[in-house]
């Protein structure tokens, strides 16, 4: 296996970084397949629901597709709970960080905030405020996040719903995650995101 010559980055040569660049490019090209594998792993995660986490996200994506959403939003619905295993207390932000380089800002914002918006349905059972999401009322994507949760996320725990397979969504995942990262034509003006 070819490796770099350095043990500290500051000592790296141009050849070292060219090698790493080539290896990173190949690694990034395989991202869609790693996303699909991570989705498959949701079959064996958080228990207690009437469907697996994989079935939940597949059902969410199916509902988004049935509602006529575009591929960005369908794939976002598919990966929205991808962080449950490694980031159970901030899974929304985890999922948003995965998809952010490949979709418009609206989609990222919805995924980043869906966990807080989901609290509306159950947090009162634990003494929490179900209207905490209303601090974002007036935000241009507030209602879209409410709709994401109402129509797809909170509704997708039905073992009898005609849910499409991961194979059905795989081409969409490959298209979205094969885009050039942070392409302005897709993600828009990155500097504007910090003001939303």
């Amino acid at each position: 296996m070819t490796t770099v010559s350095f043990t500290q980055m500051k000592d790296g040569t141009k050849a070292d970084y060219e090698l790493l660049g080539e290896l990173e490019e190949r690694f990034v090209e395989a991202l869609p397949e790693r996303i699909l594998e991570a989705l498959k792993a949701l079959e064996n995660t958080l228990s207690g629901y009437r469907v697996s986490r994989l079935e939940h996200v597949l059902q969410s994506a199916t509902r988004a597709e049935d509602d006529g959403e575009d591929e960005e939003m369908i794939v976002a619905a598919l990966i929205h709970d991808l962080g449950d295993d490694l980031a159970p207390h901030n899974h929304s932000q985890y999922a948003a960080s995965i998809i952010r380089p490949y979709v418009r800002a609206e989609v990222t914002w919805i995924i980043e905030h869906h966990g807080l918006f989901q609290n509306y349905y159950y947090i009162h059972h634990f003494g929490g405020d179900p209207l905490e999401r209303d601090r974002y009322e007036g935000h241009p994507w507030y209602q879209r996040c409410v709709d994401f949760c109402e129509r797809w996320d909170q509704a997708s725990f039905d073992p009898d719903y005609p849910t499409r397979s991961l194979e059905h969504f795989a081409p969409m995942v490959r298209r979205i995650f094969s885009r050039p990262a942070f392409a302005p034509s897709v993600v828009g003006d990155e500097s504007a995101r910090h003001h939303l």
Side-chain angles (χ1 to χ4, degrees), residues 69-136:
E69 287 294 335
D70 64 16
E71 280 194 1
E72 289 186 6
M73 195 62 80
I74 293 166
V75 170
L78 184 65
I79 66 106
H80 79 275
D81 281 345
L82 205 53
D84 281 349
D85 277 356
L86 299 176
H89 300 292
N90 63 330
H91 79 281
S92 300
Q93 293 81 10
Y94 184 98
S97 70
I98 292 169
I99 203 167
R100 180 180 184 171
Y102 307 100
V103 296
R104 65 188 181 278
E106 172 194 18
V107 175
T108 301
W109 194 91
I110 291 167
I111 297 307
E112 183 174 349
H113 292 86
H114 85 271
L116 173 68
F117 279 55
Q118 278 290 93
N119 285 347
Y120 176 80
Y121 300 100
Y122 70 90
I123 203 69
H124 59 284
H125 294 298
F126 301 100
D129 179 7
L131 298 178
E132 188 177 4
R133 70 186 187 182
D134 288 352
R135 67 181 167 183
Y136 293 105

Coordinates of all heavy atoms in Angstrom, one line a residue, residues 69-136:
E69 N -42.9 15.2 -4.1 CA -41.7 16.0 -3.8 C -40.6 15.7 -4.8 O -40.6 14.6 -5.4 CB -41.2 15.7 -2.4 CG -42.1 16.2 -1.3 CD -42.1 17.8 -1.3 OE1 -41.1 18.4 -1.7 OE2 -43.1 18.3 -0.8
D70 N -39.6 16.6 -4.8 CA -38.4 16.4 -5.7 C -37.4 15.4 -5.0 O -37.6 15.0 -3.9 CB -37.8 17.7 -6.1 CG -37.2 18.4 -4.9 OD1 -37.0 17.8 -3.8 OD2 -36.9 19.6 -5.1
E71 N -36.4 15.0 -5.8 CA -35.5 14.0 -5.3 C -34.7 14.5 -4.1 O -34.4 13.7 -3.2 CB -34.5 13.6 -6.4 CG -35.0 12.6 -7.4 CD -34.0 11.9 -8.2 OE1 -32.7 12.2 -8.1 OE2 -34.4 11.1 -9.1
E72 N -34.4 15.7 -4.0 CA -33.7 16.2 -2.8 C -34.5 16.0 -1.6 O -33.9 15.5 -0.6 CB -33.4 17.7 -3.0 CG -32.3 18.0 -4.0 CD -31.9 19.5 -4.0 OE1 -32.3 20.3 -3.1 OE2 -31.1 19.8 -4.9
M73 N -35.8 16.3 -1.6 CA -36.6 16.1 -0.4 C -36.9 14.6 -0.1 O -36.9 14.2 1.0 CB -37.9 16.9 -0.5 CG -38.6 17.0 0.8 SD -37.7 18.0 2.1 CE -38.0 19.6 1.5
I74 N -37.0 13.8 -1.2 CA -37.2 12.4 -1.0 C -36.0 11.8 -0.3 O -36.1 11.0 0.6 CB -37.6 11.7 -2.3 CG1 -38.9 12.2 -2.8 CG2 -37.6 10.2 -2.2 CD1 -39.2 11.9 -4.3
V75 N -34.8 12.1 -0.8 CA -33.6 11.5 -0.2 C -33.4 12.1 1.2 O -33.0 11.3 2.1 CB -32.4 11.8 -1.1 CG1 -31.1 11.5 -0.4 CG2 -32.5 11.0 -2.4
A76 N -33.8 13.3 1.4 CA -33.7 13.8 2.8 C -34.6 13.1 3.7 O -34.2 12.7 4.8 CB -34.1 15.3 2.8
A77 N -35.8 12.8 3.3 CA -36.7 12.0 4.1 C -36.1 10.6 4.3 O -36.3 10.0 5.4 CB -38.1 11.9 3.4
L78 N -35.4 10.0 3.4 CA -34.8 8.7 3.5 C -33.7 8.7 4.5 O -33.5 7.8 5.3 CB -34.3 8.3 2.1 CG -33.7 6.9 2.1 CD1 -34.8 5.8 2.3 CD2 -33.1 6.7 0.7
I79 N -32.9 9.8 4.6 CA -31.7 9.8 5.5 C -32.0 10.6 6.8 O -31.1 10.7 7.6 CB -30.5 10.3 4.7 CG1 -30.6 11.8 4.4 CG2 -30.2 9.5 3.5 CD1 -29.7 12.7 5.2
H80 N -33.2 11.0 7.0 CA -33.4 12.0 8.1 C -33.1 11.4 9.5 O -32.7 12.1 10.4 CB -34.8 12.5 8.1 CG -35.9 11.6 8.6 ND1 -36.5 10.7 7.8 CD2 -36.4 11.5 9.9 CE1 -37.4 10.0 8.6 NE2 -37.4 10.5 9.8
D81 N -33.1 10.1 9.7 CA -32.8 9.5 11.0 C -31.5 8.7 10.9 O -31.2 7.8 11.8 CB -33.9 8.5 11.4 CG -35.1 9.3 12.0 OD1 -34.9 10.5 12.3 OD2 -36.2 8.7 12.2
L82 N -30.7 8.9 9.9 CA -29.4 8.2 9.8 C -28.5 8.4 11.0 O -27.7 7.5 11.3 CB -28.7 8.7 8.5 CG -27.7 7.7 7.9 CD1 -28.3 6.4 7.6 CD2 -27.2 8.3 6.6
G83 N -28.7 9.4 11.8 CA -27.8 9.7 12.9 C -28.3 9.0 14.2 O -27.6 9.2 15.2
D84 N -29.4 8.3 14.2 CA -29.9 7.7 15.4 C -28.9 6.8 16.2 O -28.8 6.8 17.4 CB -31.1 6.8 15.1 CG -32.4 7.6 15.0 OD1 -32.4 8.8 15.3 OD2 -33.4 7.0 14.5
D85 N -28.0 6.1 15.4 CA -27.0 5.2 16.1 C -25.9 6.0 16.8 O -25.6 5.7 17.9 CB -26.4 4.2 15.1 CG -27.3 3.0 14.9 OD1 -28.3 2.8 15.5 OD2 -26.9 2.2 14.0
L86 N -25.3 6.9 16.0 CA -24.1 7.6 16.5 C -24.4 8.9 17.2 O -23.5 9.4 17.9 CB -23.1 7.8 15.4 CG -22.7 6.5 14.7 CD1 -21.7 6.7 13.5 CD2 -21.9 5.6 15.8
A87 N -25.5 9.5 17.0 CA -25.8 10.8 17.5 C -27.3 10.9 18.0 O -28.1 11.6 17.5 CB -25.6 11.9 16.5
P88 N -27.6 10.0 19.0 CA -29.0 9.9 19.4 C -29.6 11.2 19.9 O -30.8 11.4 19.9 CB -29.0 8.8 20.4 CG -27.6 8.7 20.9 CD -26.8 9.1 19.7
H89 N -28.8 12.1 20.5 CA -29.3 13.3 21.0 C -29.3 14.5 20.1 O -29.8 15.6 20.4 CB -28.6 13.7 22.3 CG -28.8 12.6 23.4 ND1 -30.0 12.3 24.0 CD2 -27.9 11.7 23.9 CE1 -29.8 11.3 24.8 NE2 -28.5 10.9 24.8
N90 N -28.6 14.3 18.9 CA -28.6 15.4 17.9 C -28.6 14.7 16.5 O -27.9 15.2 15.6 CB -27.4 16.3 18.1 CG -26.0 15.6 17.9 OD1 -25.9 14.4 18.2 ND2 -25.0 16.3 17.5
H91 N -29.4 13.7 16.4 CA -29.5 13.0 15.1 C -29.9 13.9 13.9 O -29.5 13.7 12.8 CB -30.4 11.8 15.2 CG -31.9 12.1 15.1 ND1 -32.6 12.6 16.1 CD2 -32.7 12.0 14.0 CE1 -33.9 12.8 15.7 NE2 -34.0 12.4 14.5
S92 N -30.7 14.9 14.2 CA -31.2 15.8 13.1 C -30.0 16.6 12.6 O -29.8 16.7 11.3 CB -32.2 16.8 13.7 OG -33.3 16.1 14.2
Q93 N -29.1 17.1 13.4 CA -28.0 17.9 13.0 C -27.0 17.0 12.2 O -26.4 17.4 11.3 CB -27.3 18.6 14.2 CG -28.2 19.7 14.8 CD -29.2 19.2 15.7 OE1 -29.3 18.0 16.1 NE2 -30.1 20.0 16.1
Y94 N -26.9 15.7 12.7 CA -26.0 14.8 12.1 C -26.4 14.5 10.7 O -25.6 14.6 9.7 CB -26.0 13.5 12.9 CG -25.1 12.4 12.5 CD1 -23.8 12.2 13.1 CD2 -25.4 11.5 11.5 CE1 -23.0 11.2 12.8 CE2 -24.6 10.4 11.2 CZ -23.4 10.3 11.8 OH -22.5 9.3 11.4
A95 N -27.7 14.2 10.5 CA -28.2 13.9 9.2 C -28.1 15.1 8.3 O -27.8 15.0 7.1 CB -29.7 13.4 9.2
A96 N -28.4 16.3 8.8 CA -28.3 17.5 8.0 C -26.9 17.7 7.5 O -26.6 18.2 6.4 CB -28.8 18.7 8.8
S97 N -25.9 17.4 8.4 CA -24.5 17.6 8.0 C -24.1 16.7 6.9 O -23.2 17.0 6.0 CB -23.5 17.5 9.2 OG -23.5 16.1 9.6
I98 N -24.7 15.5 6.8 CA -24.4 14.5 5.8 C -24.9 15.0 4.4 O -24.3 15.0 3.4 CB -25.0 13.1 6.1 CG1 -24.3 12.5 7.3 CG2 -25.0 12.2 4.9 CD1 -25.0 11.3 7.9
I99 N -26.1 15.5 4.4 CA -26.8 15.9 3.1 C -26.5 17.4 2.7 O -26.6 17.7 1.5 CB -28.3 15.7 3.2 CG1 -28.9 15.5 1.8 CG2 -29.0 16.7 4.0 CD1 -30.3 14.9 1.7
R100 N -26.0 18.2 3.6 CA -25.9 19.6 3.3 C -25.1 20.0 2.1 O -25.4 20.8 1.3 CB -25.2 20.3 4.5 CG -25.0 21.8 4.3 CD -24.4 22.4 5.5 NE -24.3 23.8 5.3 CZ -23.9 24.7 6.2 NH1 -23.7 24.3 7.5 NH2 -23.9 26.0 5.9
P101 N -23.9 19.3 1.8 CA -23.2 19.7 0.6 C -23.9 19.4 -0.7 O -23.4 19.8 -1.8 CB -21.9 18.8 0.7 CG -21.8 18.4 2.1 CD -23.2 18.3 2.6
Y102 N -25.0 18.7 -0.7 CA -25.6 18.1 -1.9 C -27.0 18.6 -2.3 O -27.6 18.3 -3.3 CB -25.6 16.6 -1.9 CG -24.2 16.1 -1.6 CD1 -23.9 15.6 -0.3 CD2 -23.3 16.0 -2.6 CE1 -22.6 15.2 0.0 CE2 -22.0 15.5 -2.3 CZ -21.7 15.1 -1.0 OH -20.4 14.7 -0.7
V103 N -27.6 19.5 -1.4 CA -29.0 19.9 -1.6 C -29.1 21.4 -1.3 O -28.3 22.0 -0.7 CB -30.0 19.1 -0.7 CG1 -29.9 17.6 -1.1 CG2 -29.6 19.2 0.8
R104 N -30.3 21.9 -1.7 CA -30.6 23.3 -1.4 C -30.7 23.5 0.1 O -31.0 22.6 0.9 CB -31.8 23.8 -2.2 CG -33.1 23.1 -1.7 CD -34.2 23.5 -2.7 NE -35.5 22.9 -2.3 CZ -35.9 21.7 -2.6 NH1 -35.1 20.9 -3.3 NH2 -37.1 21.2 -2.2
A105 N -30.5 24.8 0.5 CA -30.5 25.2 1.9 C -31.8 24.8 2.6 O -31.8 24.4 3.8 CB -30.2 26.7 2.1
E106 N -33.0 24.9 1.9 CA -34.3 24.6 2.5 C -34.3 23.2 3.0 O -34.7 22.9 4.2 CB -35.4 24.8 1.5 CG -36.7 24.3 1.9 CD -37.7 24.2 0.8 OE1 -37.3 24.1 -0.4 OE2 -38.9 24.1 1.1
V107 N -33.8 22.2 2.3 CA -33.8 20.8 2.6 C -32.9 20.6 3.9 O -33.3 19.9 4.8 CB -33.3 19.9 1.4 CG1 -33.2 18.5 1.9 CG2 -34.3 20.1 0.3
T108 N -31.8 21.2 3.9 CA -30.9 21.0 5.0 C -31.5 21.6 6.3 O -31.5 21.0 7.3 CB -29.5 21.8 4.7 OG1 -28.9 21.2 3.6 CG2 -28.6 21.6 5.9
W109 N -32.1 22.7 6.2 CA -32.8 23.4 7.3 C -33.9 22.5 7.9 O -34.0 22.3 9.1 CB -33.3 24.7 7.0 CG -33.7 25.6 8.2 CD1 -32.9 26.5 8.8 CD2 -35.0 25.6 8.9 NE1 -33.6 27.0 9.9 CE2 -34.9 26.5 9.9 CE3 -36.2 24.9 8.7 CZ2 -35.9 26.8 10.8 CZ3 -37.2 25.1 9.6 CH2 -37.1 26.1 10.6
I110 N -34.7 21.9 7.0 CA -35.8 21.0 7.5 C -35.2 19.8 8.2 O -35.7 19.4 9.3 CB -36.7 20.7 6.3 CG1 -37.4 21.9 5.8 CG2 -37.6 19.5 6.7 CD1 -38.1 21.7 4.5
I111 N -34.2 19.2 7.6 CA -33.6 18.0 8.3 C -33.0 18.4 9.6 O -33.1 17.7 10.6 CB -32.6 17.3 7.3 CG1 -33.4 16.8 6.1 CG2 -31.9 16.2 8.0 CD1 -34.6 15.9 6.4
E112 N -32.3 19.5 9.6 CA -31.6 19.9 10.8 C -32.6 20.2 12.0 O -32.3 20.0 13.2 CB -30.8 21.2 10.6 CG -30.0 21.7 11.8 CD -29.1 22.8 11.4 OE1 -28.9 23.1 10.2 OE2 -28.5 23.4 12.4
H113 N -33.8 20.6 11.7 CA -34.7 21.0 12.7 C -35.9 20.0 12.9 O -36.7 20.2 13.8 CB -35.3 22.4 12.4 CG -34.3 23.5 12.4 ND1 -33.5 23.8 11.4 CD2 -34.0 24.3 13.5 CE1 -32.7 24.8 11.8 NE2 -33.0 25.1 13.0
H114 N -35.9 18.9 12.2 CA -37.0 18.0 12.3 C -37.2 17.4 13.7 O -38.3 17.1 14.1 CB -37.0 17.0 11.2 CG -36.2 15.8 11.5 ND1 -34.8 15.7 11.2 CD2 -36.5 14.6 12.1 CE1 -34.4 14.5 11.5 NE2 -35.4 13.8 12.1
G115 N -36.0 17.1 14.3 CA -36.1 16.5 15.7 C -36.8 17.4 16.7 O -37.7 16.9 17.4
L116 N -36.5 18.7 16.7 CA -37.2 19.6 17.5 C -38.7 19.7 17.2 O -39.6 19.7 18.0 CB -36.6 21.0 17.4 CG -37.3 22.2 18.1 CD1 -37.2 22.0 19.6 CD2 -36.7 23.5 17.7
F117 N -39.0 19.7 15.9 CA -40.4 19.9 15.4 C -41.2 18.6 15.7 O -42.4 18.6 16.0 CB -40.4 20.1 13.9 CG -40.2 21.6 13.6 CD1 -39.1 22.3 14.0 CD2 -41.1 22.3 12.8 CE1 -38.9 23.6 13.7 CE2 -41.0 23.6 12.5 CZ -39.8 24.3 12.9
Q118 N -40.5 17.4 15.8 CA -41.1 16.2 16.1 C -41.6 16.2 17.6 O -42.5 15.4 18.0 CB -40.2 15.0 15.9 CG -40.2 14.5 14.5 CD -41.4 13.8 14.0 OE1 -42.3 14.5 13.5 NE2 -41.5 12.5 14.2
N119 N -40.9 16.9 18.4 CA -41.3 17.0 19.8 C -42.7 17.4 20.0 O -43.3 17.0 21.0 CB -40.4 18.0 20.6 CG -39.0 17.5 20.8 OD1 -38.7 16.3 20.7 ND2 -38.1 18.4 21.2
Y120 N -43.3 18.1 19.1 CA -44.7 18.5 19.1 C -45.6 17.3 19.5 O -46.6 17.5 20.1 CB -45.1 19.1 17.8 CG -46.5 19.5 17.6 CD1 -47.0 20.7 18.2 CD2 -47.4 18.7 16.9 CE1 -48.3 21.0 18.0 CE2 -48.7 19.0 16.8 CZ -49.2 20.2 17.4 OH -50.5 20.6 17.2
Y121 N -45.3 16.1 19.0 CA -46.2 15.0 19.1 C -46.1 14.2 20.4 O -47.0 13.4 20.8 CB -45.9 14.0 18.0 CG -46.1 14.7 16.6 CD1 -45.1 15.2 15.9 CD2 -47.4 14.9 16.2 CE1 -45.3 15.8 14.7 CE2 -47.7 15.6 15.0 CZ -46.6 16.0 14.2 OH -46.8 16.7 13.1
Y122 N -45.0 14.4 21.2 CA -44.8 13.5 22.4 C -44.2 14.2 23.6 O -44.3 13.6 24.7 CB -44.0 12.3 22.0 CG -42.6 12.5 21.7 CD1 -41.6 12.5 22.8 CD2 -42.1 12.9 20.4 CE1 -40.3 12.8 22.5 CE2 -40.8 13.1 20.2 CZ -39.9 13.1 21.2 OH -38.6 13.3 21.0
I123 N -43.5 15.3 23.4 CA -42.6 15.8 24.5 C -43.4 16.2 25.7 O -42.9 16.2 26.9 CB -41.7 17.0 24.0 CG1 -40.5 17.1 24.9 CG2 -42.5 18.3 23.9 CD1 -39.5 16.0 24.8
H124 N -44.7 16.5 25.6 CA -45.6 16.8 26.7 C -45.7 15.7 27.7 O -45.9 15.9 28.9 CB -46.9 17.3 26.3 CG -47.7 16.3 25.5 ND1 -47.4 16.0 24.1 CD2 -48.7 15.4 25.8 CE1 -48.2 15.0 23.7 NE2 -49.0 14.6 24.7
H125 N -45.5 14.4 27.2 CA -45.5 13.3 28.1 C -44.3 13.3 29.1 O -44.4 12.5 30.1 CB -45.5 12.0 27.3 CG -46.8 11.8 26.5 ND1 -48.0 11.6 27.0 CD2 -46.9 11.7 25.1 CE1 -48.9 11.5 26.1 NE2 -48.3 11.5 24.9
F126 N -43.3 14.0 28.8 CA -42.1 14.1 29.6 C -42.0 15.5 30.2 O -40.9 15.8 30.8 CB -40.9 13.8 28.8 CG -40.9 12.4 28.2 CD1 -41.3 12.2 26.9 CD2 -40.7 11.3 29.0 CE1 -41.3 11.0 26.3 CE2 -40.7 10.0 28.4 CZ -41.1 9.8 27.1
G127 N -43.0 16.3 30.2 CA -43.0 17.6 30.8 C -42.4 18.7 29.9 O -42.2 19.8 30.4
G128 N -42.1 18.4 28.7 CA -41.6 19.3 27.8 C -42.6 20.2 27.1 O -43.8 20.0 27.2
D129 N -42.2 21.2 26.4 CA -43.0 22.1 25.7 C -43.2 21.7 24.2 O -42.3 21.8 23.4 CB -42.4 23.5 25.7 CG -43.3 24.6 25.0 OD1 -44.4 24.3 24.5 OD2 -42.8 25.7 24.9
P130 N -44.4 21.2 23.8 CA -44.6 20.8 22.5 C -44.6 21.9 21.4 O -44.4 21.7 20.3 CB -46.0 20.1 22.5 CG -46.7 20.7 23.7 CD -45.6 21.0 24.7
L131 N -44.7 23.2 21.9 CA -44.7 24.3 21.0 C -43.3 25.0 21.0 O -43.2 26.1 20.5 CB -45.7 25.3 21.5 CG -47.2 24.8 21.4 CD1 -48.2 25.8 21.9 CD2 -47.5 24.3 20.0
E132 N -42.3 24.3 21.4 CA -40.9 24.9 21.4 C -40.5 25.2 19.9 O -39.8 26.2 19.7 CB -39.9 23.9 22.0 CG -38.5 24.4 22.1 CD -37.6 23.5 22.8 OE1 -37.9 22.3 23.1 OE2 -36.4 23.9 23.0
R133 N -41.1 24.5 19.0 CA -40.8 24.7 17.6 C -41.2 26.1 17.1 O -40.7 26.7 16.2 CB -41.5 23.7 16.7 CG -43.0 23.8 16.6 CD -43.6 22.7 15.9 NE -45.1 23.0 15.7 CZ -45.9 22.2 15.1 NH1 -45.5 21.0 14.6 NH2 -47.2 22.5 15.0
D134 N -42.2 26.7 17.9 CA -42.7 28.0 17.5 C -41.7 29.2 17.6 O -42.0 30.2 17.1 CB -44.0 28.3 18.3 CG -45.2 27.5 17.8 OD1 -45.0 26.7 16.8 OD2 -46.2 27.5 18.5
R135 N -40.6 28.9 18.2 CA -39.5 29.9 18.2 C -39.0 30.2 16.8 O -38.4 31.2 16.5 CB -38.4 29.6 19.1 CG -37.6 28.4 18.7 CD -36.5 28.1 19.7 NE -35.9 26.8 19.4 CZ -34.9 26.3 20.1 NH1 -34.5 26.9 21.2 NH2 -34.4 25.1 19.8
Y136 N -39.3 29.3 15.9 CA -39.0 29.5 14.5 C -40.1 29.9 13.6 O -40.0 30.1 12.4 CB -38.4 28.1 13.9 CG -37.1 27.8 14.5 CD1 -37.0 26.7 15.4 CD2 -35.9 28.4 14.2 CE1 -35.8 26.4 16.0 CE2 -34.7 28.1 14.7 CZ -34.7 27.1 15.7 OH -33.5 26.7 16.2

